[in-house]
Amino acid sequence: MRDGPRSQPASTIGQVVDQLQQRIDALPPGYLRRRTFIATYQRTTQAVGNAVDAAIFDDPEWVVRWDVAFADLFIVAHDADQAGETVPRPWRLAFQADPKLRPSSTCSWA
């Protein structure tokens, strides 16, 4: 069991990006798959934020609420897993995926 960076749910995309970075920074060695997933999620979230800032969406407030709410589902599950707590089955399956599954070699840390 380990303590990780628990925090209040984000309310902005910038806060989500920051919270994901906190999780990347706190991961112990050997968590390449999780680090890759979080970094990919973080880049996607930042791209959504950039699109919101560029006024790409018809309803940017809804997009931000949706993005933040969905990110919170992952963050809560990740934090629970890192603390040795039970997580919902879909996340548990993802977190316990076969270590032979490797991230793409295009990742800078792969």
Side-chain angles (χ1 to χ4, degrees), residues 6-104:
R6 299 219 176 197
S7 58
Q8 295 295 324
S11 59
T12 68
I13 287 183
Q15 289 173 343
V16 169
V17 170
D18 291 346
Q19 288 184 6
L20 292 170
Q21 186 62 51
Q22 291 169 6
R23 271 72 185 172
I24 291 169
D25 294 344
L27 280 173
Y31 275 70
L32 176 61
R33 291 174 299 141
R34 184 84 57 99
R35 182 172 279 107
T36 300
F37 178 83
I38 298 171
T40 301
Y41 199 134
Q42 184 185 46
R43 285 191 307 274
T44 302
T45 300
Q46 186 61 60
V48 169
N50 292 343
V52 167
D53 292 345
I56 300 294
F57 299 108
D58 290 336
D59 191 349
E61 293 81 16
W62 180 89
V63 171
V64 170
R65 285 192 314 272
W66 172 82
D67 190 272
V68 168
F70 192 76
D72 191 50
L73 294 173
F74 167 75
I75 290 170
V76 168
H78 167 79
D79 290 354
D81 181 67
Q82 292 296 286
E85 299 168 5
T86 302
V87 298
R89 185 172 187 269
W91 289 116
R92 190 171 61 252
L93 293 173
F95 295 157
Q96 296 172 352
D98 185 341
K100 293 177 187 169
L101 297 174
R102 291 285 182 216
S104 168

